Amino acid sequence: HHRDLHAFPTRRSSDLDYPDAHFRLGQLLRLKHRDREAAEALREALKFQPDALHAADALAMLLATSDDASVKSPREAQRIAETANQMAGGQSAALLDTLSVTYAAQGRFDDAIETATRAKGIAESTGQTTLRDQIDRRLTAFAEHRVK
């Protein structure tokens, strides 16, 4: 069967890569401590691809931990992290880790410890040793009522 390729709308590769480009830009800006611009880039990535869990994770962590008071928004971070966790079926150690940080950033250290402990168990059972060790360090901080 001959298919008329002109019948299909063409998409530029730049359209397809747009959310990922914003995600990468957000990560780069975060490394440069340009948190406000990083948050804008990550929000753009999510606007174009609402199910981009990596972008949601990065934005939630940024909003929970930013040193810039105009960017920091632990409650919004929690909402984003909870949505991402629901989309992942509650089985992502990294997303649960981020959710635990959003709780700690609000002073909810019991919730943070409970969530981080779940994240650690998943990281352990899936062989994510680097993440497991990172979560261990967080658990120590949370026990001392510190976010970092």
Side-chain angles (χ1 to χ4, degrees), residues 29-111:
L29 289 165
R30 179 82 204 262
L31 287 172
K32 294 183 173 288
H33 305 287
R34 291 166 59 182
D35 289 1
R36 186 176 303 140
E37 294 163 278
E40 288 171 17
L42 293 167
R43 286 182 203 283
E44 279 292 300
L46 283 172
K47 187 169 85 176
F48 286 94
Q49 191 179 350
D51 62 347
L53 296 181
H54 59 293
D57 186 51
L59 180 58
M61 188 64 84
L62 172 63
L63 295 177
T65 62
S66 179
D67 292 328
D68 183 336
S70 72
V71 173
K72 191 168 188 169
S73 179
R75 200 162 281 146
E76 182 187 0
Q78 177 190 335
R79 184 186 55 73
I80 293 166
E82 284 175 342
T83 300
N85 269 288
Q86 288 168 356
M87 292 172 82
Q91 295 303 307
S92 165
L95 291 172
L96 284 167
D97 175 45
T98 297
L99 181 58
S100 75
V101 173
T102 72
Y103 291 144
Q106 296 175 73
R108 295 173 53 188
F109 291 101
D110 289 344
D111 291 333

Side-chain angles (χ1 to χ4, degrees), residues 11-18:
R11 292 190 61 155
R12 295 186 311 275
S13 62
S14 60
D15 292 340
L16 299 173
D17 297 338
Y18 196 69

